[in-house]
Amino acid sequence: MPGLSLRTMTDIQLSGRPVISATGLFTPEESITNEELVASFNEYVDRFNAANAEAIEVGETEALTYSSVEFIEKASGIKARHVMSKQPILDPDVMGPRWDERGNDEWSMMAEIGVTAAKQALERAGRKPEDVDAVLCAASNMERPYPAMAIEIQQALGIEGFGFDMNVACSSATFGIQTAADYVRAGNAKSVLVVSPEITSGHLNWRDRDSHFIFGDVATAVLVEDAAIAPEQHWDILSTKLKTVFSNNIRNNFGFLNRASPEGVGEPDKLFVQEGRKVFKEVVPMVAQMIIEEAEKLQMDPKTLRRLWLHQANAGMNRLIAQRVLGHEANDDESPTVLDTYGNTSSAGSIIAFHLNSDDLVAGDTGLICSFGAGYSAGAVFVRRVG
Ligand code: COA
């Protein structure tokens, strides 16, 4: 190609190959241990049962039952969770996060924590905001319907171009990565930030014994870029695969046509509800099969995957999925968990696992970022370390 510089020719050769240039993580300072959570829950149970003693006595109301630290850890692997608002969650009279409503001239909470994670990703990639083309805010819950959180994050970072929100529950981040990768593949963008501020404490029913221990708050960011501009050290995105199958087994009916009361009391279906056992049984085979089939398409033996960064919802689910994919029981090195300290952080979970447990891999190592959750939805991102 006469007339083209070497740099331009390299760009053309590499153009359209999506990579992960860097990731970022924001972790709230406050954390709640199982012991603290259960003490508060059981105090609520005592108060409820005392206040309703007569109705319970005559069988009109069912007495509430204690939660237990042992059950929580055994059933889920969760030992603690970070939250944006600890004290009200532990107050048996409130049992939910509370914060002052922010004015229109203040950064919203999701934007604030999303920006912190995004700045870290940009810094790690050596990327300036003005070189980013788009921002996707991919999360389970949005603070408001519009203007999009992504556009506020874009503005706060000083990014030109465009942004929009997307919600695929626990799979939002992996769906965001594929969307960003597709922009790169199509040549519509060279640098896309996928930001996942997950303030899941807001959708959790802290009075529900079956699920009060599940969720925690966090924000992650993934910078998906064209290999042509990526830093020397990055992760090639070898393939992405998404899948959805409708299910009511994880559901939240909150919406703008159907709002929950400010306390979230009396309307538990406007918060997170699930049939945990059914989720477990139905999602494990669906996800394992998706991973194995996609590996086959890549002509890759899934057993050769060096590491799985799986969705962080339940340690037992991860154990089973990893076993089916790798053909043996995975150790912590092969399938690291962050459940113990972060709990289930919805779509951010697999990204936290990747962010905290990927620096030790070497060039050529392959791994899998994988999410699954409500929808049902599942997303797989096969990556290979470069540099
Ligand atoms: N403390 C003590 N006991 C509890 C309890 C608590 N907080 N919550 C429930 N139990 C009891 C139940 O009453 C039940 O008792 P029973 O057998 O006498 O009726 C027993 O523990 C088992 O309850 P179950 O809900 O069936 O527990 P489980 O072992 O299935 O674990 C989950 C529950 C939710 C942790 C588990 O099913 C799970 O994680 N599933 C997947 C969830 C998931 O990934 N969701 C995605 C969200 S994005």
Side-chain angles (χ1 to χ4, degrees), residues 66-68 71-72 75-76 170 209-210 212-215 250 272 274 276-277 279-280 311 313-314 317 344 372-374:
Y66 280 163
S67 181
S68 98
F71 171 83
I72 294 171
S76 68
C170 286
R209 176 173 173 262
D210 288 355
H212 75 114
F213 53 88
I214 291 182
F215 286 103
I250 313 172
F272 169 89
Q274 74 164 353
R277 288 244 164 134
V279 173
F280 201 112
H311 176 49
N314 177 286
M317 280 176 99
N344 180 344
F372 36 89

Side-chain angles (χ1 to χ4, degrees), residues 14-321:
L14 294 179
S15 161
R17 260 197 327 110
V19 309
I20 293 176
S21 287
T23 53
L25 172 67
F26 164 80
T27 303
E29 270 171 33
E30 292 185 323
S31 167
I32 297 176
T33 63
N34 286 345
E35 286 74 13
E36 291 173 305
L37 187 72
V38 168
S40 141
F41 184 89
N42 291 349
E43 173 63 24
Y44 157 70
V45 168
D46 285 340
R47 291 187 194 183
F48 178 92
N49 289 345
N52 295 279
E54 271 178 37
I56 291 169
E57 182 74 32
V58 297
E60 269 172 24
T61 300
E62 215 172 301
L64 297 182
T65 314
Y66 280 163
S67 181
S68 98
V69 170
E70 296 70 33
F71 171 83
I72 294 171
E73 195 175 333
K74 191 163 157 281
S76 68
I78 298 166
K79 296 180 188 167
R81 70 286 294 147
H82 290 274
V83 290
M84 296 293 288
S85 168
K86 177 173 176 172
Q87 190 273 333
I89 290 173
L90 291 181
D91 181 342
D93 287 328
V94 184
M95 296 186 86
R98 293 290 178 270
W99 31 68
D100 292 335
E101 207 166 311
R102 298 188 180 193
N104 290 359
D105 53 353
E106 294 174 280
W107 295 121
S108 53
M109 199 181 291
M110 280 181 70
E112 188 180 297
I113 67 172
V115 162
T116 307
K119 278 187 175 161
Q120 195 186 67
L122 293 175
E123 201 176 300
R124 285 162 66 115
R127 181 74 56 233
K128 292 199 185 80
E130 53 265 36
D131 298 328
V132 177
D133 301 309
V135 177
L136 311 186
C137 180
S140 295
N141 299 281
M142 294 300 160
E143 203 164 326
R144 59 167 183 262
Y146 48 82
M149 301 309 310
I151 303 177
E152 192 179 348
I153 294 170
Q154 176 198 350
Q155 162 81 5
L157 290 169
I159 291 171
E160 288 179 20
F162 66 95
F164 62 89
D165 294 348
M166 48 188 292
N167 173 358
V168 203
C170 286
S171 289
S172 299
T174 51
F175 276 57
I177 292 173
Q178 167 154 327
T179 305
D182 284 344
Y183 279 127
V184 171
R185 288 169 183 141
N188 286 325
K190 286 206 179 296
S191 180
V192 183
L193 260 175
V194 182
V195 186
S196 300
E198 291 284 13
I199 309 183
T200 58
S201 58
H203 82 170
L204 181 55
N205 185 349
W206 296 88
R207 290 183 175 84
D208 174 34
R209 176 173 173 262
D210 288 355
S211 64
H212 75 114
F213 53 88
I214 291 182
F215 286 103
D217 300 334
V218 80
T220 55
V222 181
L223 186 64
V224 176
E225 298 195 308
D226 194 312
I229 65 160
E232 203 172 308
Q233 204 174 80
H234 60 258
W235 295 83
D236 277 344
I237 296 178
L238 301 176
S239 142
T240 52
K241 176 74 183 170
L242 310 180
K243 188 176 172 68
T244 52
V245 179
F246 185 72
S247 167
N248 279 319
N249 289 332
I250 313 172
R251 190 164 171 129
N252 183 341
N253 284 333
F254 177 80
F256 80 102
L257 296 180
N258 192 357
R259 285 176 290 165
S261 69
E263 296 304 311
V265 184
E267 298 180 82
D269 76 313
K270 308 301 183 300
L271 294 163
F272 169 89
V273 284
Q274 74 164 353
E275 296 277 350
R277 288 244 164 134
K278 286 189 189 159
V279 173
F280 201 112
K281 271 198 201 129
E282 291 170 9
V283 170
V284 167
M286 178 181 121
V287 171
Q289 191 189 349
M290 180 187 78
I291 296 169
I292 291 165
E293 281 175 8
E294 189 59 16
E296 263 170 28
K297 269 198 217 149
L298 278 169
Q299 297 182 317
M300 172 197 283
D301 180 354
K303 296 185 178 66
T304 62
L305 284 164
R306 171 68 183 82
R307 189 163 290 165
L308 308 178
W309 299 280
L310 296 179
H311 176 49
Q312 304 285 313
N314 177 286
M317 280 176 99
N318 286 8
R319 217 173 7 254
L320 276 176
I321 291 171

